[in-house]
């Protein structure tokens, strides 16, 4: 249940169900409409005690068909419902058309042009007439181009006529105008906001990538997933093409408590060296805080030993702050090489507070030459701005790059440009596409940070750690939070966790720790929040 599907993957599941006779389009549409109504009543129970008036905006495809089902089901519950159709009824696809016909026996459907007239001069100006529920069933996973000007304008008029808070807004599958593969609004040119932001979006079967990436969360409001009776395991088992299609699906990060456990019945008498030895390389005096944050993250997540390697001039500063963490003198690449002569040092972290320039580049090359597991973050990345290929030539599969968007843009300027150019067609280039392309080019794991952190392995797994909806953690946007994350990943690498899994678990725990603390969080709090999270997830 952790897959985040593309529109094409969702269509493949649906098509397989049709081919195997496991469901008909009409059945799926009925269940989709039911799922929307159930989600509305469960999420907004007060609506049942209000005027119970709904406006349903239906589009020209199956998303519109779902809207007609919702209208009928609300009407059957005693609601007043009015549909507005963008498109021509006789050009609706068959299931949508059938539901339009069923609805037409029960209530009115107003044409889009009349709808705009009503918006301007009628509905909304009279309090008694105002709906308490507005359903957006215009476009779902079928959106491939920007909303036409007249529709965009009408939705903005609707937004003004019923400002958010006056009527609940619920989107069927997708907020119309949002590309469900990227979470980016499709726009004709310059970037603009979606005309209509929702209170809730009800997705079917699984969340789609667009619900969690980029502008998805703020456009969708809350998300609910309605079960429409598709048995994915059975469909996969029956069809090898579907297995292949879904084998490439992006998944959501999960904690995997068993990777975090120490000792236990099958491992009595374990030694600290059984959990590895992480090395974090520090900057000079006045710049050691970032490495110390990372080191503490590495130790708390369970590395057996952690050493900070700092220049001689910063030893006293480090020593006055560190207790369980060890210290080694490291005045540059040649010292680092000597330190790495100790084979027990099995995971390295370079970048936080290290400084930008040739000394950092040299140390990165030494670290990569040792073929250890390695996290490269912050200044270790910025030091290669303008000379990224010289870095890529030395990367290997046990390296994880952890850029924020600024660092990503410095290493992969062309990929960044594709991600930030206006999205004029669907499926739009997404943060998943960008991270996968970067990983393929770099030849190592890339973790692109943000509230929608994407982790991609070259030609392998892609995982999203989403800090949105009920897992929102805006407090993580605080200085040093990224340093702690790189340390946490390094700690798991030291413990021998498979690199992409280490990145996945660490990002999940990072968000969970921040959620536990809430407002007022500073980066230094994060490592000490881990024990409580561990207890809760049964480590
Ligand atoms: N895939 C499934 O298993 C199910 C899908 N259902 C619904 O079907 C939806 C997908 O339906 P469709 O594939 O018909 O697509 P949509 O209803 O999202 O879009 C309709 C059509 O509009 C056209 N279009 C795209 N962008 C446009 C634009 N900017 N302006 C004007 N026309 C545009 C396209 O030709 C598209 O096929 C889902 O989002 C969901 O709501 C549900 O009925 C239940 C099951
Ligand atoms: N709005 C947000 N919600 C959740 N997490 C966020 C948000 N903004 C940033 N983060 C996370 O916070 C961390 C910040 O890291 P980074 O930008 O490297 O900061 P620093 O260099 O100060 O440590 C990253 O893990 C990132 O994913
Ligand atoms: K919609």
């Amino acid at each position: 249940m952790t897959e985040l599907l593309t529109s094409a993957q969702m269509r493949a599941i649906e098509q397989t169900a049709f081919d195997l006779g496991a469901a008909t389009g009409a059945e799926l549409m009925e269940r989709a409409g039911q799922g929307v109504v159930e989600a509305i009543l469960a999420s907004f129970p007060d609506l049942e005690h209000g005027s119970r008036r709904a406006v349903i905006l239906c589009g020209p495809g199956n998303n519109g068909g779902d809207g007609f089902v919702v209208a009928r089901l609300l009407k059957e519950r005693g609601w007043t419902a009015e549909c507005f159709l963008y498109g021509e009824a006789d050009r609706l696809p068959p299931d949508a058309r059938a539901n339009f016909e069923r609805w037409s026996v029960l209530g009115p459907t107003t044409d889009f042009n009349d709808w705009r007239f009503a918006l301007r001069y009628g509905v909304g100006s009279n309090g008694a007439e105002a709906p308490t529920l507005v359903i957006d069933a215009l476009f779902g996973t079928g959106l491939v181009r920007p909303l036409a000007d007249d529709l965009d304008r009408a939705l903005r008029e609707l937004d003004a006529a019923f400002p958010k808070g006056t009527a609940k807004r619920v989107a069927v599958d997708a907020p119309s105008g949002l590309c469900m593969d990227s979470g980016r609004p499709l726009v004709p040119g310059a970037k603009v906001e979606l005309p209509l932001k929702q209170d809730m979006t009800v997705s079917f079967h699984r969340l789609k990538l667009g619900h969690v990436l980029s502008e998805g969360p703020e456009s969708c409001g809350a998300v609910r997933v309605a079960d429409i009776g598709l048995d994915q395991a059975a469909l996969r088992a029956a069809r090898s093409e579907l297995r292949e299609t879904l084998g490439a699906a992006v998944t959501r990060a999960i904690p995997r408590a068993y990777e975090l456990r120490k000792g236990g019945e099958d491992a009595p008498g374990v030694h600290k060296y059984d959990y590895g030895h992480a090395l974090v390389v520090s900057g000079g005096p006045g710049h050691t805080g970032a490495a110390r944050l990372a080191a503490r993250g590495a130790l708390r997540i369970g590395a057996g030993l952690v050493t900070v390697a700092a220049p001689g001039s910063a030893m006293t500063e480090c020593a006055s702050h560190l207790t369980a963490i060890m210290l080694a003198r490291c005045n540059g690449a040649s010292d680092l090489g000597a330190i790495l002569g100790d084979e027990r040092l099995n995971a390295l972290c370079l970048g936080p507070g290290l400084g930008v320039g040739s000394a950092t580049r040299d140390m990165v090359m030494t670290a990569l030459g040792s073929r250890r597991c390695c996290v490269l973050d912050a200044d270790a990345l910025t030091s290669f701005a303008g000379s990224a290929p010289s870095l890529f030539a030395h990367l290997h599969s046990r390296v994880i790059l952890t850029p924020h968007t600024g660092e990503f843009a410095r290493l992969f300027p062309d990929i960044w440009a594709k991600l930030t150019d206006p999205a004029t067609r669907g499926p739009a280039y997404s943060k998943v596409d960008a991270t996968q392309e970067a990983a393929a080019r770099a030849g190592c794991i890339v973790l692109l940070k943000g509230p929608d952190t994407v982790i991609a392995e070259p030609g392998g797994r892609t995982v999203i750690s989403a800090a949105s909806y009920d897992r929102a953690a805006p407090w993580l946007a605080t200085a040093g939070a990224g340093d702690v994350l790189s340390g946490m990943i390094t700690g798991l690498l030291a413990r021998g966790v498979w690199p992409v899994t280490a990145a996945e678990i660490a990002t999940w725990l990072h968000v969970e720790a921040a959620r536990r603390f809430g407002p007022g969080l500073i980066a230094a709090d994060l490592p000490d929040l881990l024990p409580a999270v561990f207890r809760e997830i049964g480590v």
Side-chain angles (χ1 to χ4, degrees):
M1 294 292 273
T2 61
E3 299 103 341
L4 294 160
L5 301 177
T6 61
S7 301
Q9 285 163 340
M10 184 64 205
R11 275 194 293 275
I13 293 171
E14 180 194 44
Q15 192 56 50
T16 307
F18 295 161
D19 293 351
L20 297 175
T24 65
E27 283 164 355
L28 292 185
M29 195 168 276
E30 189 68 19
R31 289 181 209 141
Q34 273 165 2
V36 172
V37 172
E38 280 162 19
I40 292 169
L41 299 180
S43 302
F44 310 119
D46 288 353
L47 284 180
E48 282 280 69
H49 309 297
S51 67
R52 307 215 298 171
R53 182 161 192 280
V55 160
I56 297 120
L57 314 177
C58 298
N62 288 319
N63 196 251
D66 297 345
F68 289 116
V69 177
V70 171
R72 167 163 49 80
L73 297 179
L74 286 175
K75 181 88 180 182
E76 284 169 5
R77 290 185 68 86
W79 282 59
T80 306
E82 185 171 11
C83 292
F84 293 87
L85 176 61
Y86 181 74
E88 290 161 45
D90 47 11
R91 296 184 65 182
L92 286 165
D95 298 321
R97 172 76 201 225
N99 278 301
F100 164 76
E101 303 290 352
R102 282 184 78 181
W103 161 250
S104 297
V105 178
L106 300 175
T109 299
T110 306
D111 182 74
F112 166 75
N113 294 314
D114 301 331
W115 160 34
R116 284 199 70 193
F117 183 85
L119 263 181
R120 279 205 185 148
Y121 306 111
V123 214
S125 57
N126 175 350
E129 288 281 297
T132 51
L133 178 62
V134 175
I135 306 271
D136 167 359
L138 287 162
F139 297 101
T141 49
L143 184 88
V144 289
R145 53 185 184 275
L147 300 180
D149 276 350
D150 56 350
L151 180 56
D152 185 86
R153 263 200 307 279
L155 292 179
R156 287 180 201 281
E157 284 162 14
L158 182 79
D159 187 43
F162 311 117
K164 216 168 172 217
T166 57
K168 290 292 178 212
R169 299 161 173 197
V170 176
V172 174
D173 213 9
S176 293
L178 192 76
C179 161
M180 293 319 289
D181 285 344
S182 65
R184 302 173 63 195
L186 295 188
V187 294
K191 196 178 157 197
V192 284
E193 297 230 322
L194 274 195
L196 207 57
K197 297 218 166 115
Q198 308 293 328
D199 292 301
M200 180 170 77
T201 298
V202 184
S203 178
F204 306 123
H205 181 62
R206 294 283 190 274
L207 285 182
K208 315 296 166 336
L209 284 171
H211 291 117
V212 300
L213 289 176
S214 299
E215 280 107 305
E218 60 160 307
S219 311
C220 292
V223 277
R224 297 279 175 280
V225 180
D227 181 359
I228 53 170
L230 289 166
D231 182 345
Q232 188 167 308
L235 297 174
R236 268 179 90 127
R239 270 291 160 86
S240 60
E241 302 94 294
L242 189 64
R243 276 201 295 285
E244 206 168 299
T245 304
L246 294 180
V250 173
T251 56
R252 266 183 290 188
I254 53 170
R256 301 174 199 272
Y258 55 89
E259 297 275 14
L260 295 159
R261 252 167 235 145
K262 282 189 168 185
E265 278 169 23
D266 48 351
V270 284
H271 189 272
K272 63 192 174 195
Y273 280 108
D274 294 330
Y275 296 109
H277 189 164
L279 183 81
V280 182
V281 183
S282 169
H287 301 279
T288 65
R292 287 187 281 107
L293 282 173
R296 201 163 168 80
L299 194 61
R300 273 282 187 227
I301 211 160
L305 299 96
V306 180
T307 294
V308 167
S313 53
M315 295 291 276
T316 316
E317 182 178 314
C318 284
S320 66
H321 289 288
L322 299 174
T323 33
I325 293 164
M326 295 177 292
L327 254 180
R329 182 186 303 269
C330 176
N331 280 330
S334 106
D335 282 357
L336 181 60
I339 292 169
L340 294 178
D342 182 346
E343 290 292 334
R344 290 173 299 185
L345 290 163
N346 62 343
L348 315 178
C349 174
L350 282 84
L354 202 50
V356 174
S358 62
T360 294
R361 282 195 294 275
D362 292 346
M363 284 195 281
V364 167
M365 287 305 159
T366 302
L368 294 175
S370 76
R371 307 300 285 180
R372 309 291 164 82
C373 288
C374 186
V375 175
L376 297 182
D377 185 30
D379 294 346
L381 305 174
T382 300
S383 291
F384 290 91
S387 61
S390 67
L391 172 66
F392 300 159
H394 295 89
L395 297 173
H396 54 80
S397 61
R398 277 160 295 122
V399 177
I400 304 176
L401 309 183
T402 57
H404 58 47
T405 51
E407 289 149 0
F408 187 90
R410 280 172 216 137
L411 285 187
F412 306 99
D414 54 326
I415 297 178
W416 182 247
K418 279 200 266 184
L419 187 57
T420 47
D421 281 349
T424 53
R425 292 205 61 76
Y429 193 77
S430 74
K431 187 166 174 178
V432 162
D433 295 324
T435 314
Q436 287 175 338
E437 192 173 345
R441 182 181 299 173
C444 72
I445 295 163
V446 174
L447 180 156
L448 177 51
K449 288 186 274 200
D452 53 352
T453 295
V454 180
I455 304 160
E457 191 180 29
R461 288 175 59 205
T462 302
V463 182
I464 296 181
S465 176
S468 47
Y469 304 116
D470 54 343
R471 295 202 79 233
W475 319 285
L476 264 178
T478 177
D483 305 327
V484 178
L485 176 67
S486 26
M488 288 167 62
I489 300 170
T490 311
L492 289 178
L493 292 174
R495 292 185 58 166
V497 178
W498 194 247
V500 75
T501 307
E504 171 182 8
I505 299 173
T507 46
W508 188 92
L509 288 170
H510 191 238
V511 171
E512 202 55 30
R515 275 177 15 85
R516 192 154 307 255
F517 195 96
L521 176 86
I522 59 172
D525 300 322
L526 285 167
D528 295 347
L529 292 161
L530 289 176
V533 179
F534 288 163
R535 272 195 301 280
E536 186 149 308
I537 62 174
V539 172

